[in-house]
Amino acid sequence: MTAEPFRSQLAALEQRGRLRSLMPRSGRDFASNDYLGLAGDAIIAQSVADAVARGVPVGSGGSRLLRGNAPEHEGLEAKAADFFKTQAALFVANGYLANLALFATLPQRGDLIVADGLIHASAHDGLRLSKAASVFAAHNDVQSFADLIAAFRAEGGKGRVWIAVETLYSMDGDMAPLADLTKLAAKHDAMLVLDEAHGTGVFGPGGRGLSSGLDGLHNVVTLHTCGKAMGTEGALICGPRVIIDYLINRARPFIYSTAPSPLMAVAASAAIDRIEAADNRRDRLATLRQDAAEAICGPLGLPAPRSQIIPLILKDDVRTMAAAAALQKAGFDVRGIRPPTVPAGTSRLRISLTLNNGRSDVLALGDHLRRLVR
Ligand SMILES: Cc1ncc(COP(=O)(O)O)c(C=O)c1O
């Protein structure tokens, strides 16, 4: 195999300050999505140990449509449908795969997907696979969504409209205007696809997410990922029974893929119980947010954080990575986020608040940031 064109492209990335490499985790956790500190939870771990002891296999052995369907998958899906108050749920290996499956499968030829301009890369990849056309609305701008729908109809578009947003944006920490988008969807008989990756567990009653209350609606499909606040892995697509049945029959990323481990279904099931009972953890995370407002946002002139995700936009790729490296050297695991994950010119430190830290960690990070970023 020749090293070209790979070597020269990697060199070009390095020159632009965009070369990535894997590094071991170390330092205080301001980078993970383990918001409620459940990734190492003893009760979830015990549920898996118990399942191993009673003979639940590690491997599923095949696609869910063949031999891979285990009672643990079905048990989790029944529990998730009940918990999120929706007709049905489908467990898939991760949120990336879920977004591929959703967008590649549900919108039909002639439909229009109107997605928020800052929607996650996995949704973008799903849109690329879709038979429907897609357009991007200005971030969180309901009028922009409305204008794009109006333009589609004015040009003779007859298909269904799909509105796709994250309920809480992974790199910006702000929330979608769900009430207004729901009204817009109702007005246009549109479907809403709500990615709750960062909302599940943290917001809503019992951690049901920011879309709690919308989940049961006939025109809403929700994606609750299990790898973030739920501390495990996988994703639950929730929606009307007919939509879930259609995905089982038509979603290639679901059909042509080995089912997730039944043990992970057991873990995700235990995680639902854990987040439901985690009011105390959600309160502690809210307190940590106040600490961050005081120690990080105030002194740096940033608005008070609306969520557990705080973006500190430094714009320049190289400056951002240098700041992240300096923080890592000082024992704070803060990661720099560059294009294409975020738009060009908006490179940032993504500060993630998790219960793996306490107030003193947040104050210490604030101290370092004040010295570093002036
Ligand atoms: C908004 C959003 N959707 C989907 C995903 C993908 O989920 P998973 O990590 O389970 O593949 C992520 C993960 O980064 C995300 O932030």
Side-chain angles (χ1 to χ4, degrees), residues 348-367:
R348 67 198 65 187
L349 299 175
R350 175 185 186 267
I351 300 165
S352 168
L353 301 175
T354 76
L355 294 188
N356 299 321
N357 290 316
R359 175 178 163 82
S360 62
D361 301 298
V362 172
L363 298 190
L365 175 62
D367 244 22

Side-chain angles (χ1 to χ4, degrees), residues 106-143:
L106 295 177
Q108 310 280 307
R109 201 178 298 286
D111 288 359
L112 179 74
I113 306 166
V114 187
D116 189 278
L118 291 186
I119 203 155
H120 192 256
S122 54
H124 277 270
D125 292 356
L127 297 182
R128 281 193 201 113
L129 292 176
S130 178
K131 293 187 195 74
S134 46
V135 288
F136 294 94
H139 177 54
N140 274 351
D141 181 342
V142 179
Q143 190 56 49

Side-chain angles (χ1 to χ4, degrees), residues 74-94:
E74 295 197 2
L76 166 62
E77 288 165 349
K79 183 173 190 161
D82 186 49
F83 178 69
F84 292 113
K85 301 190 191 335
T86 180
Q87 279 182 10
L90 188 66
F91 183 52
V92 297
N94 53 61

Side-chain angles (χ1 to χ4, degrees), residues 33 94-97 99 120 122 166 168 170 195 197-198 223 225 227-228 234-235:
N33 302 313
N94 53 61
Y96 182 90
L97 194 100
N99 269 329
H120 192 256
S122 54
E166 288 175 39
L168 166 54
S170 60
D195 185 339
H198 299 272
L223 170 57
T225 61
K228 302 184 195 300

Side-chain angles (χ1 to χ4, degrees), residues 22-37:
L22 299 174
M23 58 185 208
R25 58 168 75 161
S26 73
R28 298 185 235 198
D29 175 15
F30 285 99
S32 83
N33 302 313
D34 181 24
Y35 305 121
L36 297 180

